[in-house]
C-alpha cells in the first residue's frame, strides 16, 4: 500500500483534507498527516517510510530527501517551488511537481482586497482614493497575474503588463498593453503587482532604480516572495517619497524598520494568506493527490519540474 504524507506547517482547510483522503482511499493509498510541526526533525522523522509527499511552503531540502529512502514523488500543492531542492530530488530519483494555477484566483482576490484597503487608508475614516481609471502594472503575466488582470478590469482599472516569458500576442489578446521594457511599465503604473518567482535572476531585482520610476502615489503590491525585493532600496524610496506605499503578503526581513518608520504606508499580512482559502486548498490539495495517483498508476509526469 502506497503511503502518502501531507506535511504542512500551515495546514489545509479541513474540507480539503476530507476530499484528499477520499481520493486516496479510493486509490487504495494510505494517508498520513503531519500538521503545524515544530521543526525540520519532525518532517525528517515523518518522511522515513513514505512513497509520496505533499507540502505547501514547507522546506524540502537535501537532508529531508536523504532520509526518505522510499520517496518517489514530492508535490508542492501550490505554484512557487523555491522551497524544494530540485537538484537533491533529482539525485535521489525523486520527481517534483507543483500544481500551477490551482490557487491563482485566491491570491488575485487578496491583491485587489489589499489594494482597496490601502486606497481607503486602511479604513481610518479619512478620504481615500478609488482604483477606477488608475493604471495597474502586472509584473509577470502567469496564472496569478492573469487573474489579477481579470478582476482589476472589473474595477475599471487600466491594466498593463510586463513578462519576458509571455508573448505580446497572449497579453494583448486579453486587451492588456504589453511592455517589452520593465522600466517603462514601472514609469507608467501607479500600482504594480508582483508575480515573479524567487530565482537567482529575480532575487532583489525589485530595487531602488526600478521603484523610483513609479509615478506619484505609487503602490507596490507583493504577493509573490519577499526575496525578490531589495529591502534597502525599498526603504530608501519610502524615505524619499512620502507618497510611496508598500503592501505585502509576506512580511519583509526588515519588518520592524518598515513598521516603525512608515506605519501608515505599509501593510503586511501576519502569515502568508494568498492561498489561504478553502477553495484554493481544495483545488491545490485535490490536484496534488490526483497527480500522485496518476504518477504511480500511469507514470504521468505532467507538471514535473526536475
Ligand atoms: C504558492 O506559491 O502557491 C503560494 O505562495 C502559496 O503558498 P502557501 O501554500 O504556502 O500558502
Amino acid at each position: 500500500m502506497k503511503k502518502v504524507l501531507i506535511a504542512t506547517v500551515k495546514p489545509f482547510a479541513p474540507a480539503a483534507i476530507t476530499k484528499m483522503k477520499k481520493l486516496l482511499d479510493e486509490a487504495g493509498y494510505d494517508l498520513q498527516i503531519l500538521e503545524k510541526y515544530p521543526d525540520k526533525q519532525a518532517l525528517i522523522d515523518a518522511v522515513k517510510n513514505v512513497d509520496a509527499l505533499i507540502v505547501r511552503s514547507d522546506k524540502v531540502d537535501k537532508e529531508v530527501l536523504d532520509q526518505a529512502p522510499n520517496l518517489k514523488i514530492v508535490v508542492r500543492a501550490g505554484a512557487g517551488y523555491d522551497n524544494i531542492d530540485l537538484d537533491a530530488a533529482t539525485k535521489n530519483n525523486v520527481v517534483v511537481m507543483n500544481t500551477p494555477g490551482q490557487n491563482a484566483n485566491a491570491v488575485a482576490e487578496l491583491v485587489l482586497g489589499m489594494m482597496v484597503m490601502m486606497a481607503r487608508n486602511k479604513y481610518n475614516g479619512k478620504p481615500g482614493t478609488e482604483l477606477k481609471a488608475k493604471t495597474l502594472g502586472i509584473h509577470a503575466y502567469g496564472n496569478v497575474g492573469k487573474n489579477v488582470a481579470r478582476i482589476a478590469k472589473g474595477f475599471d482599472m487600466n491594466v498593463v503588463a510586463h513578462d519576458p516569458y509571455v508573448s505580446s500576442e497572449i497579453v494583448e489578446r486579453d486587451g492588456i498593453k504589453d511592455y517589452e521594457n520593465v522600466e517603462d511599465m514601472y514609469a507608467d503604473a501607479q500600482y504594480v503587482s508582483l508575480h515573479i518567482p524567487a530565482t537567482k535572476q529575480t532575487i532583489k531585482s525589485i530595487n531602488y532604480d526600478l521603484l523610483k520610476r513609479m509615478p506619484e502615489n505609487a503602490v507596490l503590491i507583493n504577493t509573490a516572495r519577499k526575496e525578490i525585493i531589495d529591502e534597502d532600496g525599498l526603504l530608501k524610496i519610502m524615505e524619499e517619497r512620502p507618497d510611496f506605499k508598500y503592501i505585502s503578503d509576506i512580511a519583509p526581513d526588515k519588518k520592524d524598520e518598515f513598521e516603525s518608520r512608515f506605519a501608515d504606508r505599509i501593510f503586511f499580512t501576519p502569515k502568508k494568506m494568498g492561498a489561504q482559502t478553502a477553495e484554493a486548498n481544495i483545488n491545490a490539495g485535490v490536484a496534488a493527490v490526483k497527480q500522485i495517483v496518476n504518477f504511480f498508476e500511469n507514470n504521468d509526469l505532467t507538471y514535473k519540474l526536475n
Side-chain angles (χ1 to χ4, degrees):
M1 193 185 227
K2 297 264 184 296
K3 292 185 175 57
V4 180
L5 173 69
I6 299 175
T8 48
V9 167
K10 191 171 58 181
F12 287 111
I17 296 284
T18 305
K19 286 189 194 292
M20 293 163 84
K21 183 167 172 17
K22 186 167 176 283
L23 285 172
L24 287 167
D25 286 348
E26 283 165 10
Y29 290 20
D30 179 47
L31 171 63
Q32 301 179 3
I33 299 177
L34 176 71
E35 290 178 338
K36 296 185 190 166
Y37 52 94
D39 51 26
K40 186 157 86 173
Q41 191 54 49
L43 179 58
I44 288 173
D45 293 342
V47 292
K48 283 202 163 25
N49 63 354
V50 303
D51 302 278
L53 173 63
I54 297 173
V55 292
R56 295 184 63 178
S57 290
D58 307 77
K59 213 169 160 59
V60 182
D61 60 13
K62 185 176 180 306
E63 214 185 328
V64 173
L65 291 160
D66 284 349
Q67 299 297 322
N70 298 344
L71 191 64
K72 296 282 174 299
I73 179 167
V74 177
V75 181
R76 192 287 189 236
Y81 48 89
D82 45 316
N83 51 319
I84 300 180
D85 185 334
L86 293 189
D87 290 340
T90 305
K91 280 189 191 118
N92 286 271
N93 286 322
V94 174
V95 167
V96 180
M97 296 184 185
N98 64 349
T99 64
Q102 300 294 346
N103 57 25
N105 181 68
V107 179
E109 286 190 13
L110 183 74
V111 170
L112 271 295
M114 293 200 302
M115 283 167 60
V116 170
M117 181 187 65
M118 197 47 104
R120 299 303 181 97
N121 301 317
K122 297 199 260 183
Y123 312 123
N124 69 357
K126 293 186 187 150
T129 53
E130 298 179 22
L131 299 180
K132 185 175 178 173
K134 307 296 190 304
T135 296
L136 168 63
I138 300 194
H139 193 161
Y141 199 63
N143 290 309
V144 182
K146 282 185 189 135
N147 276 280
V148 172
R150 172 180 57 78
I151 303 169
K153 281 186 197 169
F155 279 81
D156 267 344
M157 295 191 84
N158 170 36
V159 184
V160 303
H162 165 79
D163 191 329
Y165 301 102
V166 176
S167 74
S168 294
E169 213 184 341
I170 289 176
V171 177
E172 283 159 8
R173 203 186 296 150
D174 290 345
I176 290 166
K177 180 174 173 183
D178 182 44
Y179 281 76
E180 207 181 310
N181 185 304
V182 68
E183 280 102 4
D184 291 346
M185 185 187 79
Y186 275 67
D188 283 352
Q190 181 188 340
Y191 288 83
V192 170
S193 187
L194 300 170
H195 302 292
I196 53 177
T199 64
K200 269 189 208 125
Q201 291 75 35
T202 63
I203 285 171
K204 290 195 184 210
S205 65
I206 308 305
N207 54 27
Y208 177 81
D209 285 341
L210 195 55
L211 297 173
K212 74 171 189 219
R213 293 167 197 273
M214 289 180 74
E216 206 181 348
N217 297 320
V219 183
L220 181 67
I221 307 109
N222 182 10
T223 53
R225 292 290 182 269
K226 71 174 183 242
E227 291 81 3
I228 62 178
I229 306 282
D230 175 354
E231 294 187 13
D232 289 329
L234 179 57
L235 283 163
K236 186 170 172 213
I237 196 85
M238 293 192 74
E239 164 85 47
E240 283 175 16
R241 300 237 328 239
D243 63 304
F244 199 105
K245 294 176 176 156
Y246 180 53
I247 315 167
S248 181
D249 187 27
I250 325 97
D253 290 333
K254 299 194 174 181
K255 177 175 179 273
D256 293 346
E257 195 173 342
F258 279 95
E259 282 178 347
S260 64
R261 293 172 66 191
F262 312 115
D264 295 346
R265 296 189 274 134
I266 48 129
F267 174 77
F268 308 134
T269 51
K271 196 180 250 191
K272 190 155 60 126
M273 290 288 297
Q276 275 299 63
T277 65
E279 293 88 340
N281 286 180
I282 290 168
N283 292 344
V286 164
V289 168
K290 286 185 176 166
Q291 286 170 218
I292 286 170
V293 174
N294 261 324
F295 166 76
F296 283 121
E297 305 303 324
N298 308 315
N299 199 24
D300 187 340
L301 296 172
T302 313
Y303 304 122
K304 182 173 182 278
L305 300 163
N306 60 335

